[in-house]
Amino acid sequence: MNRVSRFLWFCSGAHIATLEKHPTDHNKYIGIGATIFFTGLFAALSGGYAMYFVFKGGDLAWLFSIFFGLIWGLAIFNMDRYIVGSLDKNASSNKQLLQATPRILLAIMIGIVISRPLELKIFDKEIKEKLKVSYLNGQRSKIDTLNKAFDKKYTIEIGKLNELKAQRDSLAAAIKSDRQKLNYEIFGNKTTETSGVMGYGPYAKRKEAELKQREQNLDTLNVDVRQMEKFVDGRKQFDGLMSEKLFTSKQLDSLANIAGFADRNWALGQLSFNPDGSKDFNTSLAVTFIGLLFIFFECLPVFVKLMSARGSYDHAIENAEKVQTHLSDKDRDADITVADQIQDTKISVKAQQKIDELRSV
């Protein structure tokens, strides 16, 4: 028998020396062993990929991921091998099902654990896009929160600034309107507020003097507005508002690439929902299907063992166990007999010693 077959028998948890004598069961246990082996292999890939994100960015991230992947794969392999090997095909169907129930539940948990990191890799592109949107929305929310806190903290100063701006804008609009009226007066355009006589007369001179005074007031208001804006900008700089900006596309790409396992796992869960909060059935079905595929693959060795008929190998194992049990009972009886004889001999020896002592008195 070639080494590959023997290795797969070992993976299935079968007793190789007994299985070699029953060729009709060889293929069955090769299939079971191959399923357990590939489950352990997928577990190693899954665990290594998950650990890569834990140490992502470090110089030895790949080494840690390989080491943990091997350890995790061997642990799952050993657990699956025990789960399948411990099922007793010589028991009744109900007892086999009862034995398999906790093992199936454990297999489901293992399938969920090993499928998640692989799902993260499969939906890597969609996860990155979801993370970019999340980071951008988070930055917007942070800036809005800072602005609201700043407005609440400097309510008086901001109110005064807005009042000065309103006065400035109102005065600037009034000056513009009066300047137009003055031009109408000078060039003889007849309106309800102008004489219609061309020339630079007393009325025009008086209006121009008033405009100059109002322009000086406007200049003063502009100075006050600039001073207040400078003060408010200084407060914003001090409170960190000026340094907070929305992320650029390059920054979002960088953040998405270095996202940790927790962020990526959250983003994978969010793929099942549309931006408006409704359920995205297509994506949700795809994620669920992949997860169920790994769960079924993990449970497959147990199902195969349960569904397979009792073969000659199982009968041989039952007989071997009976022989071993019988030999163990005989060894027990022999040990008990030997112990009884030793005890009887001890009693005889002690009794003879007592008799000899009494005779010597």
Side-chain angles (χ1 to χ4, degrees):
M1 188 60 61
N2 59 51
R3 294 181 180 179
V4 175
S5 298
R6 294 179 65 85
F7 172 73
L8 295 178
W9 288 348
F10 166 78
C11 294
S12 69
H15 187 268
I16 297 177
T18 303
L19 184 59
E20 285 180 336
K21 301 175 183 178
H22 303 277
T24 56
D25 286 337
H26 286 183
N27 290 335
K28 179 175 71 175
Y29 283 92
I30 287 175
I32 294 174
T35 304
I36 295 175
F37 171 76
F38 283 111
T39 302
L41 180 62
F42 283 136
L45 295 174
S46 175
Y49 184 72
M51 188 55 59
Y52 177 76
F53 279 99
V54 175
F55 294 98
K56 191 174 183 180
D59 296 334
L60 299 177
W62 62 273
L63 184 61
F64 284 116
S65 63
I66 292 175
F67 176 75
F68 180 82
L70 290 174
I71 296 298
W72 180 246
L74 288 174
I76 298 300
F77 168 80
N78 181 69
M79 192 174 298
D80 281 345
R81 186 172 178 270
Y82 166 75
I83 289 173
V84 175
S86 61
L87 290 177
D88 185 9
K89 288 299 298 180
N90 298 309
S92 63
S93 298
N94 292 334
K95 188 175 181 180
Q96 288 184 47
L97 185 61
L98 185 63
Q99 289 177 342
T101 299
R103 290 166 174 79
I104 291 174
L105 294 177
L106 181 59
I108 291 173
M109 293 179 61
I110 295 173
I112 294 173
V113 170
I114 68 174
S115 67
R116 199 61 174 179
L118 295 177
E119 289 173 358
L120 293 176
K121 183 59 178 176
I122 294 172
F123 294 97
D124 183 64
K125 182 178 179 180
E126 291 79 5
I127 287 172
K128 286 182 178 180
E129 293 301 320
K130 182 65 72 173
L131 285 174
K132 290 178 184 178
V133 174
S134 175
Y135 292 148
L136 189 59
N137 290 337
Q139 186 67 3
R140 283 199 187 102
S141 178
K142 180 180 180 181
I143 293 174
D144 291 341
T145 301
L146 289 174
N147 284 327
K148 290 178 181 178
F150 182 84
D151 292 343
K152 185 177 180 180
K153 184 177 181 181
Y154 296 100
T155 303
I156 297 176
E157 290 80 358
I158 294 175
K160 185 176 180 180
L161 175 60
N162 293 333
E163 183 181 350
L164 288 173
K165 286 182 177 180
Q167 292 178 3
R168 179 195 63 185
D169 295 340
S170 177
L171 183 56
I175 290 174
K176 182 179 180 181
S177 178
D178 290 345
R179 176 64 66 182
Q180 186 178 25
K181 293 176 183 178
L182 177 59
N183 291 334
Y184 287 165
E185 178 66 26
I186 293 173
F187 293 104
N189 293 330
K190 177 66 177 176
T191 65
T192 56
E193 297 182 5
T194 58
S195 61
V197 179
M198 183 181 294
Y200 190 69
Y203 178 77
K205 292 179 180 180
R206 186 173 68 252
K207 294 296 290 184
E208 186 173 16
E210 291 176 357
L211 281 173
K212 288 182 179 180
Q213 181 61 43
R214 297 176 73 179
E215 287 175 346
Q216 290 178 357
N217 295 337
L218 180 61
D219 292 339
T220 302
L221 276 175
N222 282 327
V223 172
D224 294 340
V225 168
R226 285 194 293 269
Q227 289 179 347
M228 186 56 67
E229 285 178 339
K230 184 178 180 180
F231 171 79
V232 172
D233 290 341
R235 292 295 86 192
K236 286 184 177 181
Q237 185 71 33
F238 180 79
D239 290 352
L241 267 71
M242 304 299 288
S243 59
E244 293 294 340
K245 298 180 180 178
L246 290 177
F247 294 129
T248 63
S249 298
K250 187 176 181 180
Q251 289 174 323
L252 288 173
D253 289 337
S254 178
L255 289 172
N257 288 331
I258 64 174
F261 185 83
D263 285 349
R264 294 175 62 82
N265 186 58
W266 170 86
L268 178 59
Q270 293 300 309
L271 289 179
S272 300
F273 298 92
N274 293 313
D276 59 359
S278 61
K279 191 79 170 180
D280 185 350
F281 288 100
N282 292 330
T283 305
S284 177
L285 186 63
V287 175
T288 303
F289 176 77
I290 292 174
L292 290 176
L293 180 63
F294 281 100
I295 292 173
F296 175 76
F297 192 79
E298 176 63 29
C299 297
L300 189 59
V302 181
F303 291 150
V304 170
K305 192 72 178 288
L306 284 174
M307 292 185 298
S308 61
R310 184 171 180 266
S312 58
Y313 166 77
D314 300 309
H315 186 70
I317 289 294
E318 182 183 19
N319 291 335
E321 289 178 349
K322 288 180 180 179
V323 170
Q324 292 297 323
T325 302
H326 180 73
L327 289 175
S328 178
D329 292 340
K330 290 299 182 181
D331 289 340
R332 179 200 61 190
D333 294 339
D335 290 340
I336 290 174
T337 301
V338 171
D340 289 342
Q341 291 180 359
I342 291 174
Q343 189 65 23
D344 291 341
T345 303
K346 286 182 179 180
I347 293 173
S348 298
V349 171
K350 287 184 179 180
Q352 186 63 42
Q353 289 177 349
K354 289 293 184 180
I355 292 173
D356 293 340
E357 289 177 358
L358 290 174
R359 288 176 177 177
S360 64
V361 173

